[in-house]
Amino acid sequence: MRNCIFKGDVNFANANIPEQSVFELLTFYREVNFNSTKLNENIMFKNICFAPFVNKIGKDGFKSFVKALNDNGYKKEAKYYETHYGDTEAKKVDKTEYDIAVESGWLNIKQAALFLGVKYSSLLDMRKDDKILGVQRIPFVGEGKNSRYYVPLLQAYKNKDMKKVAELEKEMRQKENEI
């Protein structure tokens, strides 16, 4: 398989992929399933891309791919995909720094993602969508890496209290002007 973009679900469950097969320049946008897949020897995996994991199904499908690689002796390839697409983040949030930031009432985007219990990349994707739509579901101040989130507002958002979020957005804007 070469040069394919899969916009729908792809199911390799219980498949027996023959020797010398090629998986090259593939992009998976939706669910992929490699459960109980037999990968024979000398299979080439090159330039395989996965869309961001926006739900558990997508994440589980990716895990099934990595598991199939590991189970069939492709440990080097499994490690590569886990490193580049898994949950590991390029920069972990420093716990002491995080605690100080929470105490101050302002968090950067990575700290806000940790506070909300979401992946940093998910929060970035949400902000990109918001920019396109012209809204801010989770209001913040500043731009880019200098953006900051107001802790009480994040707590209200986490509690799904959108009325309180709107009130705290005004308070946040006033505090930003005071700084």
Side-chain angles (χ1 to χ4, degrees), residues 70-105:
N70 274 318
D71 290 351
N72 289 280
Y74 291 94
K75 296 192 184 312
K76 181 179 167 188
E77 291 85 350
K79 183 73 173 165
Y80 172 83
Y81 287 104
E82 252 181 336
T83 302
H84 289 84
Y85 291 97
D87 288 336
T88 58
E89 294 199 15
K91 181 180 174 191
K92 296 285 182 189
V93 175
D94 179 273
K95 181 69 173 141
T96 306
E97 207 175 282
Y98 172 78
D99 291 340
I100 292 168
V102 169
E103 194 65 34
S104 76

Side-chain angles (χ1 to χ4, degrees), residues 105-117:
W106 295 95
L107 303 177
N108 65 32
I109 187 168
K110 286 186 185 247
Q111 294 163 340
L114 179 63
F115 185 89
L116 293 170

Side-chain angles (χ1 to χ4, degrees), residues 105-161:
W106 295 95
L107 303 177
N108 65 32
I109 187 168
K110 286 186 185 247
Q111 294 163 340
L114 179 63
F115 185 89
L116 293 170
V118 299
K119 286 176 57 177
Y120 169 67
S121 59
S122 298
L123 190 53
L124 276 179
D125 289 343
M126 181 185 206
R127 282 177 51 159
K128 286 177 190 172
D129 291 345
D130 287 354
K131 190 171 186 175
I132 292 168
L133 297 171
V135 297
Q136 266 189 355
R137 288 176 274 184
I138 306 175
F140 60 91
V141 294
E143 292 191 29
K145 291 183 179 184
N146 295 322
S147 61
R148 294 177 297 151
Y149 290 84
Y150 188 46
V151 173
L153 187 146
L154 288 174
Q155 187 60 53
Y157 183 84
K158 198 172 176 178
N159 294 338
K160 299 181 181 3
D161 187 348

Side-chain angles (χ1 to χ4, degrees), residues 18-41:
E19 287 185 34
Q20 307 294 325
S21 292
V22 175
F23 285 77
E24 184 178 20
L25 296 168
L26 305 178
T27 301
F28 297 99
Y29 279 101
R30 302 247 343 241
E31 179 184 351
V32 61
N33 184 354
F34 278 86
N35 290 327
S36 302
T37 300
K38 171 76 173 123
L39 301 169
N40 288 289
E41 296 177 359

